[in-house]
Amino acid sequence: MLPHPLDQTPDRTLVMGILNVTPDSFSDGGAHDTVETAIAHGRRLLAEGADVIDVGGESTRPGAHAVSPEEEQARILPVVEALLAEGAVVSVDTMHTATARAALEVGPVIVNDVSGLVHEPDMPALIAQTGAPYVVMHNRGNPQTMDALTDYRDTVEDVVRELQEVVDRFLAAGAAPEQLILDPGLGFAKAGEQNWELLRGLDRMQALGFPVLVAASRKRFLGTLLAGPDGADPAPAERDHATAAVSAISAAHGAWGVRVHDVRASADAVRVGSAWRGASAGAPGGGAA
């Protein structure tokens, strides 16, 4: 098995910086779509306080077009190799088993798979064989269909149940429980208020016994919240203050990590949230937030 990339982590919520090596991300597509600009941005994210750099070569926004594993690998593998060589902790944002395998051959990485309930059939065996940390994200459908798959009887309980089903598949394949990280999949097959329900229900997800990653950065439900008097949503980059607020609250509730575009703001925010959580746990008559 490969060395675990998170054998030593800070005693606080981690900040995962987003590095999109794509021309069509909803937020910053094209800004870092060459190897050189992507590596440079990865270094900036590290300097701003990122604990993990999440490198992705395929947009997963609603309506995004699929990218072949070969093209995805050509985009991200040189970036992954360069950042690992500089000592960074790297995660690879991919739905493709072939890309995850290729990245793990470069070095120890976290596999961050947004495919949710319909992951590729060989992915559990790969994760079990390599011992790689794996983010189990809740999702239904694919970028073309997920916006039509938002019918839940009880959003939190349904997401928790469906995540547990995916977890069980990986455990049955031989993955160890300590490899798995849960992500409620904000914005993926979720509409408006359902995202807030999941954030309010983080403790229910944490009750499954796995670390939880919160990935709210710049997402549409934050834009809806911040809409001006004319009803227009602010541009994605104008949602960073709201993202940092979610980061602080997530840290106060014990989230394992937050995945964000603006690392500097969330690096401060998680320290505030973690300090708040620590103070609450130590207060007379208080409990963990």
Side-chain angles (χ1 to χ4, degrees), residues 9 30 39 60 91 99 113 126 162 166 177 191 194 233 247 259 265 278 282:
T9 57
I39 293 170
T60 52
S91 63
T99 299
D113 181 357
L126 174 69
E162 291 174 7
V166 179
Q194 291 170 338
D233 292 357
S247 293
R259 181 181 181 273

Side-chain angles (χ1 to χ4, degrees), residues 26-250:
F26 83 95
S27 174
D28 56 359
H32 323 296
D33 64 347
T34 69
V35 170
E36 293 76 16
T37 57
I39 293 170
H41 188 59
R43 289 172 179 149
R44 281 193 295 273
L45 295 175
L46 291 168
E48 291 171 359
D51 301 294
V52 182
I53 305 298
D54 190 46
V55 183
E58 178 178 15
S59 176
T60 52
R61 61 178 172 77
H65 296 294
V67 171
S68 71
E70 293 78 15
E71 182 175 356
E72 181 183 41
Q73 290 166 40
R75 292 176 178 180
I76 70 168
L77 291 182
V79 180
V80 170
E81 184 174 15
L83 293 175
L84 285 174
E86 297 185 13
V89 177
V90 175
S91 63
V92 173
D93 180 0
T94 183
M95 297 183 286
H96 301 295
T97 307
T99 299
R101 180 180 293 109
L104 287 162
E105 289 172 355
V106 172
V109 298
I110 302 164
V111 178
N112 182 16
D113 181 357
V114 305
S115 60
L117 310 183
V118 290
H119 56 264
E120 292 184 350
D122 292 338
M123 187 68 84
L126 174 69
I127 298 306
Q129 290 163 6
T130 60
Y134 179 80
V135 179
V136 182
M137 196 192 82
H138 183 274
N139 192 4
R140 292 172 169 176
N142 57 45
Q144 286 72 45
T145 63
M146 62 185 180
D147 275 356
L149 300 173
T150 60
D151 185 19
Y152 298 91
R153 180 186 57 81
D154 180 305
T155 304
V156 175
E157 291 303 318
D158 289 354
V159 167
V160 166
R161 175 178 49 79
E162 291 174 7
L163 273 174
Q164 182 67 65
E165 291 171 359
V166 179
V167 165
D168 289 345
R169 293 177 209 160
F170 279 80
L171 296 178
E178 56 268 24
Q179 290 177 246
L180 304 181
I181 299 160
L182 305 186
D183 179 344
L186 302 173
F188 288 81
K190 318 292 186 309
E193 178 62 22
Q194 291 170 338
N195 297 286
W196 296 110
E197 292 172 12
L198 286 167
L199 286 170
R200 290 191 292 266
L202 278 182
D203 58 341
R204 176 67 185 88
M205 188 166 303
Q206 289 168 319
L208 293 178
F210 299 93
V212 173
L213 174 67
V214 175
S217 188
R218 297 181 178 177
K219 287 189 175 175
R220 184 169 44 184
F221 75 98
L222 294 179
T224 301
L225 176 72
L226 301 175
D230 61 355
D233 292 357
E238 295 174 6
R239 305 169 193 172
D240 283 336
H241 295 303
T243 299
V246 173
S247 293
I249 295 168
S250 298

